[in-house]
Amino acid sequence: MAGEAAIINAAARTSLWLQPHRIVLILIALGLVLAAAFFMRWDWLPQYYAAGLLGIWRALWILAVTCVLGFLLAVPLGLAQAAGPFWFAAPAKVFCTIIRGTPLLLQLWLLYYGLGSLFPQYPWIRESWMWPYLRQAWPYGVLALTLSFAGYEGEVMRGAFAGVPKGQIEAARAFGMSRWKAFRRIWLPQAFYRALPTLTGETVLQLKSTPLVATISVIDIFAVSSKVRQDTYLTYEPLLLLALIYMAITGILVFAFGRIEARIPNKIG
Amino acid sequence: MVGLLHTIEIAIGATCLGLLIGIGGAYGKLYGGPVVRDLLAVYTTVVRAVPELVLILLLYYAGTDLINQVLAAVGYQRIDISGLAAGIAVLGFVQGAYSTEVIRGAILAIPQGQIEAARAYGMSPGLLLRRITLPAMLPFAIPGLANLWLIATKDTALLAVVGFYELTLATRQAAGVTKAYLTFYLAAGAIYLLVTLVSNLIIGRIEARARRGMPSLKEAR
């Protein structure tokens, strides 16, 4: 019975969504896509297929690493601002303000060209084990994106930590939990649930800033499309495909976070 | 310094254009016909899902190319579109999508009775927009629009990638010539930060004025 009802419900929703004007619009969109497929040049696709996949993989990898590291950094930042003493909260606040007040492109170039040009002057750095990494571009890209994500997310976590009702933490302490245990079991999960919807948006924003690393010669999907444009003198085709790829990734991200959000207990606060 | 001037010019221009698109878009989304509404939904979704950098490249090349082709078809000569105008148009188009959503939310937050009362007084739609809707939605929209303004100032840095001479590109060139990379980038960062902090002050003033007569946020909580 329940299954049938669900099917009928879904059918009703589809018929509501598929109004006549929508069908016309979809047909027009399909026509545009077909026109693009037939009248534009796509013969370069097989040649750059492998490079493109590698580029997508790199972009996703950078996205995942910077989001996880940035979030780990954001938790202490948020905590320091929400509950820390002044000498702890002030540096965190200054850090967040600076990161949020300057363009990411500038931060990236500052780290890569600025810091990167300083290192070779010191022989002990050149001889250390870090040098092979410091000579490449991607550590700077990852560092800049991580710091940026931490800066924005630290502000979100501050609000989330401050938003957890005091009674919850007091109750945890009254149960005899240690401060650390109360933080781990009560405060952090509740703050995380509160921050999750914002986290979705921040992750999508982070995805949209990953192409910036192409400007410091990291070969991600954006750099691949630029290379195609230089090699074939085509302007629009690679860019259109690139836009489509990013839209697909965004859609998947939003869907995945929606699933996670649906799993969390929704009666908080 | 020319770079800073260009940066601020573009940011202001893009925000103004974005606001116009936003007001139009929000009206279309709320009161428009079904086709207009769907098209606007596609516009805001696509623009917000694709990275700004890709959009800027796409619109920068496509836009100038399109205008030149139209001009050629009509029989005029090809013109060189100035980077300033192109930058403003591109960023304004991007900002428009975001501000459409902000303004739509703000208009929805106005108590419905105010708009109905204005209609009952026989105000024309234009007068209604000017006298009631815009002033009434302002306090709800200002935090979101302030964020957009700050994003706009920072998005101008992306125009450096298409070769437009603004603060970030100027910094890069100066740093490349003098080899003092760290100094110049830190200085440029300080300038951006200063712009942000000054705008925060001004926005605080504007918001306080727009909210006058409304219960303060702290009391309401």
Side-chain angles (χ1 to χ4, degrees), chain B:
Chain B
M1 277 301 103
V2 179
L4 174 63
L5 204 65
H6 275 169
T7 292
I8 292 177
E9 268 174 17
I10 290 192
I12 291 176
T15 308
C16 291
L17 186 62
L19 270 180
L20 286 182
I21 296 178
I23 293 171
Y27 251 66
K29 266 199 162 181
L30 288 173
Y31 306 115
V35 178
V36 174
R37 243 185 265 178
D38 279 5
L39 285 180
L40 282 171
V42 169
Y43 163 60
T44 52
T45 315
V46 167
V47 170
R48 294 191 305 163
V50 176
E52 282 87 353
L53 191 58
V54 178
L55 274 179
I56 285 172
L57 280 178
L58 200 59
L59 293 174
Y60 201 80
Y61 293 123
T64 45
D65 207 40
L66 200 71
I67 290 176
N68 271 332
Q69 272 181 6
V70 167
L71 282 181
V74 182
Y76 288 102
Q77 280 198 318
R78 296 175 67 86
I79 51 164
D80 254 350
I81 291 151
S82 75
L84 193 70
I88 288 177
V90 170
L91 279 187
F93 185 77
V94 176
Q95 290 273 311
Y98 288 90
S99 53
T100 296
E101 293 295 315
V102 170
I103 293 175
R104 190 182 66 100
I107 291 180
L108 282 178
I110 304 173
Q112 193 61 31
Q114 295 193 3
I115 294 173
E116 279 165 10
R119 285 218 185 100
Y121 267 110
M123 282 192 190
S124 69
L127 197 65
L128 173 71
L129 174 72
R130 199 156 47 83
R131 285 231 184 122
I132 309 295
T133 310
L134 285 188
M137 69 150 210
L138 213 51
F140 303 112
I142 277 186
L145 293 180
N147 264 342
L148 283 180
W149 157 253
L150 294 181
I151 291 175
T153 56
K154 286 183 281 168
D155 269 358
T156 53
L158 296 181
L159 288 173
V161 176
V162 288
F164 181 69
Y165 192 80
E166 45 67 71
L167 188 51
T168 303
L169 192 64
T171 310
R172 189 179 178 178
Q173 285 174 357
V177 170
T178 57
K179 301 288 175 213
Y181 290 98
L182 207 56
T183 324
F184 273 98
Y185 281 119
L186 283 179
I191 294 177
Y192 275 112
L193 200 60
L194 205 66
V195 171
T196 304
L197 292 178
V198 170
S199 341
N200 268 345
L201 275 182
I202 298 173
I203 289 164
R205 286 269 176 83
I206 297 176
E207 190 174 355
R209 177 159 172 76
R211 291 198 81 92
R212 69 198 186 281
M214 295 183 83
S216 85
L217 284 176
K218 276 184 189 140
E219 280 167 34
R221 210 179 276 170

Side-chain angles (χ1 to χ4, degrees), chain A residues 37-123:
Chain A
F38 280 114
F39 294 117
M40 288 174 147
R41 284 186 48 201
W42 300 101
D43 48 345
W44 45 270
L45 262 182
Q47 199 187 337
Y48 292 97
Y49 179 69
L53 277 189
L54 188 66
I56 295 178
W57 170 245
R58 279 217 181 111
L60 288 180
W61 183 83
I62 290 176
L63 174 70
V65 169
T66 56
C67 280
V68 170
L69 287 182
F71 184 74
L72 290 182
L73 209 58
V75 169
L77 276 175
L79 200 59
Q81 286 186 65
F86 171 75
W87 47 268
F88 225 57
K93 183 140 185 56
V94 168
F95 173 79
C96 285
T97 312
I98 288 179
I99 292 287
R100 283 154 29 105
T102 51
L104 179 55
L105 189 64
L106 193 81
Q107 294 163 17
L108 196 63
W109 286 0
L110 171 70
L111 285 177
Y112 182 61
Y113 295 114
L115 270 188
S117 72
L118 278 189
F119 286 140
Q121 295 170 5
Y122 303 101

Side-chain angles (χ1 to χ4, degrees), chain A residues 27-251:
Chain A
L27 284 181
I28 293 176
L30 268 183
L32 280 178
V33 170
L34 283 180
F38 280 114
F39 294 117
M40 288 174 147
R41 284 186 48 201
W42 300 101
D43 48 345
W44 45 270
L45 262 182
Q47 199 187 337
Y48 292 97
Y49 179 69
L53 277 189
L54 188 66
I56 295 178
W57 170 245
R58 279 217 181 111
L60 288 180
W61 183 83
I62 290 176
L63 174 70
V65 169
T66 56
C67 280
V68 170
L69 287 182
F71 184 74
L72 290 182
L73 209 58
V75 169
L77 276 175
L79 200 59
Q81 286 186 65
F86 171 75
W87 47 268
F88 225 57
K93 183 140 185 56
V94 168
F95 173 79
C96 285
T97 312
I98 288 179
I99 292 287
R100 283 154 29 105
T102 51
L104 179 55
L105 189 64
L106 193 81
Q107 294 163 17
L108 196 63
W109 286 0
L110 171 70
L111 285 177
Y112 182 61
Y113 295 114
L115 270 188
S117 72
L118 278 189
F119 286 140
Q121 295 170 5
Y122 303 101
W124 60 270
I125 291 182
R126 298 179 70 127
E127 282 150 22
S128 74
W129 55 271
M130 295 188 306
W131 182 240
Y133 295 103
L134 288 179
R135 247 175 34 192
Q136 290 169 349
W138 64 264
Y140 298 98
V142 169
L143 180 63
L145 285 175
T146 303
L147 288 181
S148 150
F149 191 76
Y152 283 93
E153 197 54 33
E155 201 71 18
V156 174
M157 286 313 283
R158 180 187 63 85
F161 277 127
V164 174
K166 241 186 170 162
Q168 298 268 359
I169 301 151
E170 280 164 7
R173 296 283 287 152
F175 263 109
M177 289 188 188
S178 69
R179 285 175 77 109
W180 166 241
K181 203 174 196 178
F183 171 72
R184 193 163 46 94
R185 289 225 184 129
I186 310 294
W187 207 6
L188 184 61
Q190 292 205 12
F192 181 67
Y193 294 156
R194 273 163 198 278
L196 199 55
T198 329
L199 200 62
T200 315
E202 290 291 336
T203 312
V204 172
L205 284 182
Q206 183 77 354
L207 168 72
K208 298 201 302 181
S209 19
T210 53
L212 289 182
V213 297
T215 59
I216 58 166
S217 74
V218 176
I219 312 286
D220 73 330
I221 180 68
F222 180 81
V224 172
S225 95
S226 307
K227 186 166 162 30
V228 173
R229 282 173 44 219
Q230 279 167 12
D231 287 353
T232 58
Y233 302 112
L234 295 169
T235 318
Y236 304 121
E237 286 90 340
L239 279 176
L240 284 177
L241 190 66
L242 188 65
L244 201 68
I245 290 172
Y246 276 112
M247 276 172 66
I249 300 178
T250 308

Side-chain angles (χ1 to χ4, degrees), chain A residues 13-38:
Chain A
R13 246 185 298 157
T14 320
S15 69
L16 249 182
W17 193 81
L18 269 183
Q19 286 155 358
H21 73 274
R22 284 240 167 88
I23 297 176
V24 173
L25 282 179
I26 290 171
L27 284 181
I28 293 176
L30 268 183
L32 280 178
V33 170
L34 283 180
F38 280 114

